[in-house]
């Protein structure tokens, strides 16, 4: 049985990856320090004899007994609301954590895939973004802690590839959504759905003409899986290029949830990118991958998930504090 280590296993993407690898017949070792993740996302796997979990901070030395065939490094706060709250941990998990996992991959002769992000392009000056665009990042801006950690992570990964001949993969993930997202992660989909379920008006930051493109989680996981199994070591964008304005998106949510909320507007926070759209030509060519789930279906499944949350969970004050939201 092939053995895979997944860091960030209790988080949104990590938990979906655990499910996918279990379903593919792997032995899965999940690792997480639960700083932004939640064990409930993988609770259903605890009875599975092909799954084990380590409660561990990957910025500390990482030890896993036995052999490993693959490592997927997904541990990192991922949403602005999180990394603004824990900026130093964010820098450490991208740098020290990545270093520890690359060292582990080298020791175990494992192939490692690193979760990078569209944020390496910063506030992009070209649209859509291709992998050869170098980006436009403010090192000392509020998003710098995340963006630069991820840029360093990519450099370190390439150094291990070039210097040690390590088998590495780098995925640049664009906005992804689906069940198991956190209600208060500061992203627009849980924000709108939480507001809809509480019967509140939907808050838009700025005038709503900024665009986003959203990839459904099943598509994202499929792209990541294909990249891991490919022989391509340079960064690959995985995301959905279909763009929508936040205004149109809010209208879609109101229609989907069958409610009558109004839309209210608040000032746009600093460094909120106005446009973000992946060019996925490379992924199509080398992985034969493109997103398949249309937004209506993906949003419906996501809304079904949020509807399962308890009223108590929905009403928590932290889920209603929109003062720090940046999507
Ligand atoms: N969700 C997206 O749209 C998106 C977009 C771009 C990149 N990514 C990347 O994908 C990865 C997962 O993102 P997500 O959306 O699932 O976020 P998430 O916050 O749901 O999951 C991240 C997980 O990492 C864990 N973690 C953080 N620091 C850790 C540490 N030092 N040691 C061990 N575990 C630690 C957290 O507890 C959490 O469970 C991140 O690396 C993120 O940068 C996600």
């Amino acid at each position: 049985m092939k053995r895979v280590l997944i860091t960030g296993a209790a988080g949104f993407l990590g938990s979906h990856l655990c499910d996918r690898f279990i379903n593919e017949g792997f032995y899965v070792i999940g690792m997480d320090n639960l700083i932004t993740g939640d064990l409930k996302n993988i609770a259903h796997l605890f009875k599975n004899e092909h799954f084990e979990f380590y409660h561990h901070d990957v910025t500390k030395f990482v030890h896993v007994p036995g052999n490993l065939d693959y490592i997927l490094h997904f541990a990192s706060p991922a949403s602005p609301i999180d990394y603004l709250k824990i900026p130093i941990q964010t820098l450490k998990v991208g740098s020290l954590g990545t270093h520890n996992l690359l060292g582990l991959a080298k020791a175990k002769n494992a192939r490692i895939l690193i979760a990078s992000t569209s944020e390496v392009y910063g506030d992009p000056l070209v649209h859509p973004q291709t992998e050869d665009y170098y980006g436009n990042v403010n090192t000392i801006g509020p998003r710098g802690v995340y963006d630069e950690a991820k840029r360093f992570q990519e450099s370190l990964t390439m150094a291990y590839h070039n210097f040690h001949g390590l088998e590495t993969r780098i995925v640049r993930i664009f906005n992804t959504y689906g069940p198991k997202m956190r209600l208060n992660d500061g992203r627009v989909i849980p924000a709108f759905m939480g507001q809809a379920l509480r019967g509140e008006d939907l808050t838009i930051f700025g005038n709503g003409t900024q665009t986003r493109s959203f990839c459904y989680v099943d598509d994202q996981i499929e792209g990541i899986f294909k990249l891991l199994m490919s022989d391509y070591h340079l960064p690959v964008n995985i995301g959905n290029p279909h763009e929508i304005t936040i205004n149109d998106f809010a209208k879609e949510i109101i229609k989907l949830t069958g409610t009558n909320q109004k839309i209210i507007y608040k000032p746009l926070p600093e460094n909120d990118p106005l446009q973000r759209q992946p060019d996925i030509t490379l992924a199509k060519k080398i992985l034969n991958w493109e997103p398949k789930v249309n937004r209506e279906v993906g949003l419906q499944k996501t809304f079904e998930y949020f509807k399962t949350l308890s009223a108590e969970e929905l009403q928590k004050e932290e889920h209603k504090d929109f003062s720090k939201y940046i999507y």
Side-chain angles (χ1 to χ4, degrees), residues 11-13 32-33 35-37 56-58 74 146 150 173 176:
F12 166 49
L13 293 179
D32 205 298
N33 69 349
I35 195 165
T36 59
H56 183 69
D57 178 344
V58 299
F74 277 68
Y146 181 66
K150 292 290 185 180
I173 301 169
T176 300

Side-chain angles (χ1 to χ4, degrees), residues 7-17 31-39 41 54-60 73-79 82-83 86 89-90 92-94 97 101 114-119 146 150 153 171-177 180-182 185 187 215 220 224 238:
T7 74
F12 166 49
L13 293 179
S15 60
H16 283 276
L17 282 169
M31 186 174 283
D32 205 298
N33 69 349
L34 305 179
I35 195 165
T36 59
D38 195 322
L39 281 183
N41 291 333
Y54 286 54
H55 186 186
H56 183 69
D57 178 344
V58 299
T59 66
K60 310 265 171 25
H73 180 29
F74 277 68
S76 170
S79 76
D82 289 333
Y83 57 73
I86 44 174
Q89 286 94 329
T90 303
K92 281 173 72 177
V93 74
L101 289 155
I114 299 291
S116 186
T117 167
S118 55
E119 297 277 344
Y146 181 66
K150 292 290 185 180
Q153 180 183 52
V171 58
R172 289 188 182 151
I173 301 169
F174 282 68
N175 264 349
T176 300
Y177 73 99
K180 298 186 183 173
M181 289 184 96
R182 268 182 19 239
D185 80 354
R187 301 207 182 107
C215 183
Q220 182 62 245
I224 292 166
I238 298 287

Side-chain angles (χ1 to χ4, degrees), residues 54-119:
Y54 286 54
H55 186 186
H56 183 69
D57 178 344
V58 299
T59 66
K60 310 265 171 25
F61 180 75
V62 180
H63 172 68
V64 175
N67 65 306
L68 281 177
D69 298 284
Y70 300 103
I71 298 174
L72 291 103
H73 180 29
F74 277 68
S76 170
S79 76
I81 214 163
D82 289 333
Y83 57 73
L84 294 176
K85 222 184 295 166
I86 44 174
I88 296 172
Q89 286 94 329
T90 303
L91 282 156
K92 281 173 72 177
V93 74
S95 53
L96 303 178
T98 302
H99 189 220
N100 286 335
L101 289 155
L102 287 165
L104 182 68
K106 182 166 167 278
K108 303 278 184 188
N109 202 16
R111 181 181 294 179
I112 180 165
L113 181 144
I114 299 291
S116 186
T117 167
S118 55
E119 297 277 344

Side-chain angles (χ1 to χ4, degrees), residues 131-307:
E131 288 83 352
D132 55 6
Y133 176 53
Y134 292 166
N136 175 39
V137 173
N138 176 3
T139 56
I140 56 167
R143 287 174 178 246
V145 293
Y146 181 66
D147 302 6
E148 292 300 344
K150 292 290 185 180
R151 287 167 70 95
F152 177 80
Q153 180 183 52
E154 289 197 5
S155 304
L156 192 60
T157 302
M158 285 308 295
Y160 265 74
H161 175 82
N162 293 328
F163 191 74
H164 291 303
L166 194 68
E167 284 228 48
T168 55
R169 306 287 179 266
I170 299 173
V171 58
R172 289 188 182 151
I173 301 169
F174 282 68
N175 264 349
T176 300
Y177 73 99
K180 298 186 183 173
M181 289 184 96
R182 268 182 19 239
L183 210 47
N184 63 336
D185 80 354
R187 301 207 182 107
V188 66
I189 290 178
F192 281 172
M193 289 193 174
Q195 287 183 315
L197 285 167
R198 287 191 297 269
E200 295 166 2
D201 293 335
L202 306 192
T203 315
I204 288 184
F205 294 95
N207 60 13
T209 56
Q210 69 269 46
T211 64
R212 290 292 182 270
S213 55
F214 302 105
C215 183
Y216 188 63
V217 64
D218 290 356
D219 284 331
Q220 182 62 245
I221 299 297
E222 175 67 11
I224 292 166
F225 191 82
K226 282 190 153 182
L227 177 61
L228 179 68
M229 297 307 163
S230 78
D231 56 9
Y232 192 80
H233 71 277
L234 296 173
V236 179
N237 290 340
I238 298 287
N240 191 325
H242 193 262
E243 262 187 306
I244 180 170
T245 66
I246 295 292
N247 274 330
D248 286 344
F249 188 62
K251 287 179 203 146
E252 278 187 12
I253 297 282
I254 289 171
K255 192 170 152 219
L256 167 82
T257 55
T259 43
N260 282 324
Q261 291 96 332
K262 290 195 291 296
I263 297 174
I264 51 173
Y265 292 88
K266 293 204 172 155
L268 192 68
E270 188 189 351
N271 277 30
D272 190 48
L274 292 181
Q275 196 185 11
R276 186 63 74 53
Q277 186 194 19
D279 182 314
I280 58 164
T281 312
L282 183 65
K284 278 186 188 163
K285 188 169 143 213
I286 61 164
L287 307 177
N288 191 23
W289 173 89
E290 63 183 315
K292 295 207 163 58
V293 181
N294 76 33
R295 202 170 46 242
E296 204 179 328
V297 174
L299 286 177
Q300 185 64 49
K301 287 187 180 175
T302 309
F303 191 54
E304 292 306 319
Y305 168 76
F306 283 118
K307 279 203 291 197

